[in-house]
Amino acid sequence: MTGYPRMTINHIFLAFMGLVGATVGIILVVAPASRDYRVSPYFWVVIAMAVFELAVFARGRGAPGTVVAMETRLCGFVLAIVLMVVIPILSGSSARLF
């Protein structure tokens, strides 16, 4: 054992949601017309969360300690939405936000 802290599913989820938020934000900068798709970018984040949750649940069969904590879900969602909104603002994108 090297003494490094173990990476939990909560940490992996937060990293995943950061990646999802950044990806959606970059897509909105590169292709501003993507805001007008039938499925709104906000739902892209929710769909990504659901896919991650289903994969984790299937892998651990719902056993305690193998699913993402509710606080982490909320923090991950907020992180992704903040990145999705801030990246286009910082890039100077002239597209509408909502």
Side-chain angles (χ1 to χ4, degrees):
M1 194 81 175
T2 61
Y4 292 112
R6 185 166 177 245
M7 188 92 152
T8 65
I9 196 68
N10 292 328
H11 294 115
I12 295 169
F13 180 76
L14 287 175
F16 174 74
M17 291 310 293
L19 180 66
V20 166
T23 302
V24 172
I26 291 169
I27 289 171
L28 293 174
V29 169
V30 173
S34 62
R35 292 181 190 278
D36 298 326
Y37 289 166
R38 183 166 290 210
V39 178
S40 173
Y42 294 102
F43 288 112
W44 300 352
V45 173
V46 173
I47 291 168
M49 287 177 69
V51 169
F52 187 91
E53 288 282 340
L54 286 172
V56 168
F57 185 81
R59 181 180 171 269
R61 295 185 179 93
T66 62
V67 293
V68 180
M70 186 56 71
E71 299 85 17
T72 307
R73 287 182 190 135
L74 182 62
C75 288
F77 180 72
V78 169
L79 172 67
I81 296 299
V82 165
L83 286 171
M84 183 184 81
V85 170
V86 168
I87 289 174
I89 290 172
L90 292 179
S91 71
S93 179
S94 61
R96 61 180 169 73
L97 290 176
F98 301 103

